[in-house]
Amino acid sequence: MLFNSLVFAELLFITFVLYYQKWLLKYQVLILIIASLVFYAYTNPALLILLLFSAGINVASSYYVAYGNAANRKLIATAGVVFNLTVLAFFKYSPLIAKSLFPETSSVGEFLLTIPLPIGISFYTFEGISLLVDVYKEKKDDDKSLANSSFKEHAGRTLFFISFFPHLVSGPILKAHDFLPQIKAKFLKDINWEQCFKNLILGYFLKMVVADNLKDFTFWIAFPYFQRYTAITLITMLFGYSCQIFADFAGYSLIAIGLAQLFGYNLINNFNFPYISSSIQEFWKRWHISLSSFLMEYLYFPLGGNRKGKVRTYINLMITMFLGGLWHGAAWSYAVWGLVHGSALAIERMFKDKIKLGSYKVVVFFKRILVFCLVTFAWLFFKLPDFSQVIIYLKKIATTISLTFYPALCFNILLYSSPVFLYHLVYLLKKNKKFEASFNKYSYILYAIMLFLIVTNSGSSGSFIYFQF
Amino acid sequence: MAHRVRLFISNFNFMIKKTILVFVILFATYNCIVIFNPGISAPQQQWQDNVVKAEKYIYDKSDTVSNVILGSSLARLMVMDSLPHYYNLAFAGQGILDGLEILNQTEKLPKNIFIETNTVFTEANKSFTDGLFDPLTFSIKKYCISLRSDKQPLAFIYPSLQAAMHKGKNTEESKAPATDQTDDNDLFNKMIKMQIEYYTWTPDSNIVNKQFLALTNYIRILKNRGANIVFFELPFNSKLVELPLARLIRNKFYEHFPAAQNNYITMPDCSNYVTSDGFHLKDDEAKVYTSYFKKESKKYYP
């Protein structure tokens, strides 16, 4: 079910009305669980089986970690994490394993290729891991527990944590220690309407006006169509795709945050103006924050982080980004994308102390441009999952440099990308208090324009890019 | 109940109320502009162009048009200025089933329906037709024309800028190229190679039967509703014409819709058509074929 579909609006309305009925106050969590399961099962009810099975294992193992035999806690926690990773590997990476390890005619390979990819699996398995690790760590360090002592209560809270519909299929990836303490009775009077409204308008604007329109112009990046264009058009399309993927995912995250706020829950802010980053390290602190912080907390730090010498730090960065890349999809190009970022992070760290460029405005400006260009070119691995096509695309740019371009296509890409640039620019300008005060005073005009464009200028409805992950 | 709704609305702060007020003013103003200039229209890209074409047919043309062409991006290239009494419902990137579904769902049928037979294995795009006939949006768009796809405000910026920039200039000179490169031999050869590979492939018989079953059902319904059907095959590169897939499609059409009981416009000699990529006609070729089509179609329905 898409956030921008009529059927979702109906589900949301019914859930919202029931949720805040005084006589149903003690069933609030149950109402959200039911709504979430309906949301998830709407297009393919069979997917519920895996979600419920996965949640069931996480409920049982986390409860055992909290209240079971102390001697077995570590073993159960590890088994639970391995289970989550196995589920993810089996359903997500079977096609990659089939293509990489088995010949085309092999029956095992054929079987692996038929395994469907359940929507949202990358997100809810990571949340299962977070639950187990957090419950284990909290129990070990403070002898407290995130898990409720009543198994029934714990099962309900865990299922709610994993399935809460705003974040279920595309994140933000929740951490148990952030979300579980928020579960309590919620009241209509506590809703921050202005914040909800702003998040929802901005989110729907980025998704429906910016990303959905850009997608029809950047479609031509696909092979073999891109071969008919020259360098300027190819580069413009790539920058358009960079804005599209931001608008699509940041839009989704803002909608998710706004929807969760309607029910009294705060989700982690997933994007913090990533395209103003002046280093790749800063980029990863601003882009898909819930994933990067998850990878840092549950992978980079356990690998040793930067505490085991320079070489180990570089290796740890590469491993983290390689696996982070592979998390996005079952194709080697995603891993290469991760390695490109990992290498950039390692190189940056290597030269950080050796080259001092100062913090002059012009230097920061050029660093921002450089980071944006690097990030944008790396998105090519997302758009063209076949590595050879990426090479052809880059070759085509290099060999067709001329002033010829396709003006309508380039103009429209720039037009629909401009809100993304303005969004970042306003953030920078808001550092000036005077500007911020006037902006806040008249921001309602901007929100009204966005609402007007959502109604009159939305693109054709498309799935969110991150659904496939 | 009314008290609870009032209480609910009073929770909204001043910023939200101001936003909604400005939105209402903007929307009302834009509606006035569109109502007083109903002719303005600006599709921006292929997908939107398909929707615009379909919406124009559903809301404006279906009552008056007597000849409709259905097809894919191949038939879409036909020069409609030469066919003033025809409406082109051929969609780029989509197939004939979408056009058939639109006709099936509209109240009044055209007298004559011309169906392209070149591409038959493109699956029906359900989200496209569902979007057009969604009960809520259908009714809203029927009466509120500012919400139709060709009235998107941002779509008017580029044509307006272009018009302003080229004011007084020779329009032919100022025309933008359709694509960056039109005569890239290397690319053309690559495309032909890909098309040869594609046309050498034979689809699974289940797929063939499924598509022809759907097609047969549609044709039966349309014929029962009184429409005349004419099939036509657009010319394409002669290297592809006799390849297995092209022959299979041709034979299947004759098998399901025998020439003795159905009308066909014969494909002209393909050696005169090079095409831009193997099967899409070049501009001048499209002009030539359109004249041929016009002449041939008159044989059936003058």
Side-chain angles (χ1 to χ4, degrees):
Chain A
M1 196 184 286
L2 292 173
F3 281 168
N4 49 350
S5 63
L6 189 64
V7 66
F8 175 72
E10 288 163 0
L11 175 71
L12 182 68
F13 177 76
I14 295 167
T15 310
F16 186 82
V17 169
L18 291 176
Y19 186 76
Y20 285 111
Q21 295 299 319
K22 275 184 190 156
W23 55 283
L24 288 172
L25 207 61
K26 62 176 179 174
Y27 299 109
Q28 281 185 328
V29 169
L30 184 66
I31 290 168
L32 286 181
I33 291 174
I34 294 170
S36 301
L37 298 183
V38 171
F39 170 82
Y40 190 69
Y42 185 73
T43 38
N44 187 357
L47 294 178
L48 262 190
I49 299 168
L50 181 65
L51 176 73
L52 292 174
F53 177 66
S54 167
I57 297 286
N58 283 312
V59 166
S61 44
S62 58
Y63 191 78
Y64 191 90
V65 169
Y67 301 107
N69 186 344
N72 293 335
R73 271 180 199 153
K74 193 170 182 179
L75 180 73
I76 297 294
T78 311
V81 171
V82 170
F83 164 78
N84 279 298
L85 292 173
T86 310
V87 167
L88 184 62
F90 181 74
F91 284 96
K92 189 157 181 172
Y93 300 106
S94 295
L96 183 67
I97 295 166
K99 282 180 203 160
S100 307
L101 301 180
F102 295 94
E104 261 181 46
T105 47
S106 145
S107 56
V108 180
E110 269 178 23
F111 164 72
L112 290 175
L113 283 172
T114 59
I115 293 167
L117 174 65
I119 196 165
I121 191 167
S122 310
F123 294 91
Y124 68 70
T125 49
F126 267 34
E127 280 153 2
I129 293 172
S130 157
L131 175 75
L132 287 161
V133 174
D134 287 356
V135 169
Y136 175 73
K137 269 167 69 179
E138 199 158 3
K139 192 76 193 170
K140 187 171 147 268
D141 299 341
D142 304 333
D143 200 32
K144 286 192 294 187
S145 186
L146 282 169
N148 198 290
S149 56
S150 146
F151 182 78
K152 195 177 147 198
E153 193 77 11
H154 171 64
R157 284 160 60 93
T158 302
L159 183 57
F160 174 49
F161 160 63
I162 288 175
S163 67
F164 186 31
F165 69 84
H167 75 87
L168 176 57
V169 290
S170 273
I173 301 166
L174 303 185
K175 287 182 196 130
H177 59 76
D178 288 333
F179 189 81
L180 290 176
Q182 292 187 49
I183 302 177
K184 57 184 179 199
K186 307 286 179 182
F187 302 95
L188 195 65
K189 64 179 170 49
D190 296 331
I191 297 176
N192 184 342
W193 285 105
E194 186 176 329
Q195 211 47 51
C196 275
F197 183 77
K198 283 180 169 176
N199 281 330
L200 290 173
I201 296 285
L202 185 57
Y204 277 110
F205 172 77
L206 286 173
K207 167 63 185 160
M208 294 170 74
V209 180
V210 179
D212 281 351
N213 276 302
L214 275 174
K215 103 179 172 302
D216 292 324
F217 296 111
T218 59
F219 166 81
W220 304 106
I221 294 179
F223 182 80
Y225 307 112
F226 68 73
Q227 293 188 91
R228 59 171 64 190
Y229 299 110
T230 52
I232 293 181
T233 313
L234 292 171
I235 292 171
T236 310
M237 287 201 293
L238 201 47
F239 280 96
Y241 184 67
S242 195
C243 292
Q244 180 198 335
I245 199 165
F246 168 78
D248 192 274
F249 197 18
Y252 182 93
S253 297
L254 284 166
I255 298 169
I257 290 167
L259 292 172
Q261 283 173 332
L262 280 178
F263 296 98
Y265 289 89
N266 289 314
L267 304 187
I268 178 176
N269 190 11
N270 221 8
F271 289 85
N272 187 20
F273 305 90
Y275 287 155
I276 60 143
S277 307
S278 55
S279 68
I280 296 293
Q281 190 187 15
E282 187 187 353
F283 175 79
W284 278 104
K285 283 183 180 161
R286 292 174 176 275
W287 179 274
H288 203 174
I289 298 165
S290 64
L291 174 70
S292 47
S293 65
F294 183 96
L295 290 174
M296 196 157 78
E297 219 171 295
Y298 299 107
L299 182 61
Y300 180 68
F301 288 162
L303 282 172
N306 59 359
R307 288 166 288 134
K308 297 193 173 176
K310 282 182 181 174
V311 178
R312 267 299 293 274
T313 305
Y314 304 146
I315 293 171
N316 290 343
L317 280 171
M318 298 290 267
I319 293 173
T320 306
M321 293 312 293
F322 173 81
L323 293 174
L326 214 48
W327 173 88
H328 286 84
W332 290 116
S333 63
Y334 291 111
V336 175
W337 172 80
L339 281 177
V340 169
H341 276 272
S343 313
L345 282 168
I347 292 167
E348 212 172 71
R349 190 173 270 267
M350 212 182 281
F351 291 104
K352 202 166 85 180
D353 301 325
K354 288 175 188 155
I355 303 172
K356 299 272 183 203
L357 291 170
S359 52
Y360 302 109
K361 277 184 180 171
V362 67
V363 173
V364 174
F365 175 76
F366 279 108
K367 278 161 88 178
R368 281 181 177 147
I369 300 281
L370 190 70
V371 169
F372 178 63
C373 290
L374 180 80
V375 167
T376 296
F377 272 84
W379 288 133
L380 206 47
F381 293 103
F382 265 64
K383 187 69 179 165
L384 300 171
D386 189 333
F387 194 69
S388 62
Q389 293 170 5
V390 175
I391 303 292
I392 299 173
Y393 196 96
L394 295 174
K395 244 168 95 179
K396 197 80 192 164
I397 290 178
T399 54
T400 58
I401 297 168
S402 74
L403 285 177
T404 321
F405 64 102
Y406 188 180
L409 183 64
C410 293
F411 177 86
N412 281 312
I413 287 176
L414 293 177
L415 176 70
Y416 284 106
S417 300
S418 58
V420 173
F421 290 108
L422 284 175
Y423 177 66
H424 286 79
L425 185 67
V426 166
Y427 172 74
L428 290 174
L429 291 173
K430 270 170 110 177
K431 286 180 180 166
N432 175 330
K433 293 285 165 212
K434 229 171 154 185
F435 176 85
E436 191 184 11
S438 343
F439 180 84
N440 290 344
K441 195 173 170 190
Y442 297 109
S443 66
Y444 68 91
I445 298 175
L446 216 56
Y447 282 95
I449 294 172
M450 287 195 274
L451 186 56
F452 169 70
L453 290 174
I454 291 169
V455 173
T456 57
N457 212 108
S458 290
S460 60
S461 166
S463 299
F464 291 87
I465 294 175
Y466 265 66
F467 271 15
Q468 64 187 300
F469 306 142
Chain B
M1 184 66 187
H3 169 71
R4 291 185 76 174
V5 171
R6 262 202 304 279
L7 198 70
F8 178 70
I9 292 170
S10 69
N11 279 326
F12 293 158
N13 72 7
F14 196 44
M15 182 266 170
I16 299 177
K17 288 172 187 163
K18 278 193 294 187
T19 304
I20 291 171
L21 180 70
V22 176
F23 161 73
V24 170
I25 294 169
L26 280 172
F27 189 60
T29 312
Y30 189 64
N31 266 292
C32 290
I33 295 170
V34 171
I35 288 166
F36 290 112
N37 301 280
I40 55 169
S41 170
Q44 302 168 97
Q45 25 75 11
Q46 177 179 297
W47 170 265
Q48 200 183 37
D49 189 45
N50 290 347
V51 179
V52 167
K53 218 185 240 192
E55 283 182 354
K56 270 193 180 156
Y57 179 77
I58 296 164
Y59 297 119
D60 302 331
K61 304 278 184 186
S62 59
D63 287 344
T64 52
V65 165
S66 53
N67 301 301
V68 166
I69 296 169
L70 303 184
S72 63
S73 55
L74 277 63
R76 178 177 165 266
L77 295 173
M78 287 168 71
V79 185
M80 297 315 291
D81 291 348
S82 325
L83 298 167
H85 304 297
Y86 290 70
Y87 192 85
N88 193 336
L89 258 185
F91 302 123
Q94 295 178 225
I96 47 177
L97 294 181
D98 297 328
L100 285 164
E101 179 60 21
I102 290 171
L103 294 185
N104 194 29
Q105 293 213 33
T106 40
E107 224 167 275
K108 201 178 165 206
L109 271 190
K111 209 170 140 199
N112 308 310
I113 302 168
F114 296 85
I115 300 177
E116 173 207 302
T117 62
N118 298 61
T119 51
V120 76
F121 295 118
T122 313
E123 294 263 344
N125 187 336
K126 216 173 161 318
S127 71
F128 174 73
T129 41
D130 283 355
L132 290 169
F133 294 103
D134 175 85
L136 183 72
T137 50
F138 180 85
S139 313
I140 293 175
K141 285 184 177 183
K142 190 171 180 182
Y143 300 106
C144 187
I145 55 172
S146 65
L147 294 180
R148 291 186 195 168
S149 299
D150 63 331
K151 311 289 185 209
Q152 295 197 339
L154 295 181
F156 293 107
I157 297 178
Y158 182 71
S160 312
L161 273 177
Q162 214 186 15
M165 279 166 67
H166 298 136
K167 215 173 180 181
K169 283 189 190 170
N170 180 323
T171 39
E172 274 310 304
E173 271 177 29
S174 56
K175 258 187 187 169
T179 55
D180 294 345
Q181 295 171 321
T182 45
D183 291 319
D184 184 340
N185 272 337
D186 185 38
L187 178 59
F188 176 76
N189 291 335
K190 266 192 219 166
M191 297 298 282
I192 287 284
K193 207 176 141 196
M194 278 175 64
Q195 306 303 353
I196 289 175
E197 253 173 54
Y198 175 69
Y199 274 89
T200 313
W201 162 79
T202 322
D204 185 84
S205 60
N206 288 330
I207 299 173
V208 178
N209 293 338
K210 188 183 141 204
Q211 289 299 95
F212 274 93
L213 181 68
L215 190 57
T216 313
N217 284 336
Y218 275 122
I219 303 288
R220 197 188 59 240
I221 294 168
L222 295 178
K223 278 185 174 174
N224 287 344
R225 287 176 65 189
N228 300 312
I229 309 288
V230 181
F231 298 104
F232 68 100
E233 186 175 7
L234 282 133
F236 51 118
N237 194 286
S238 51
K239 287 182 184 163
L240 310 173
V241 174
E242 289 305 323
L243 291 181
L245 183 62
R247 288 172 64 171
L248 174 90
I249 294 174
R250 219 168 283 137
N251 293 338
K252 283 284 169 189
F253 263 99
Y254 287 126
E255 187 185 314
H256 286 85
F257 311 103
Q261 292 131 42
N262 292 276
N263 300 319
Y264 281 85
I265 294 178
T266 327
M267 181 168 59
D269 179 8
C270 289
S271 59
N272 299 323
Y273 297 88
V274 179
T275 73
S276 60
D277 57 1
F279 52 68
H280 288 98
L281 298 176
K282 288 181 172 183
D283 289 351
D284 51 340
E285 293 170 343
K287 273 183 201 161
V288 174
Y289 179 73
T290 307
S291 332
Y292 171 81
F293 176 88
K294 192 176 178 181
K295 197 176 80 195
E296 290 296 308
S297 61
K298 273 185 183 162
K299 279 186 196 165
Y300 297 108
Y301 308 108

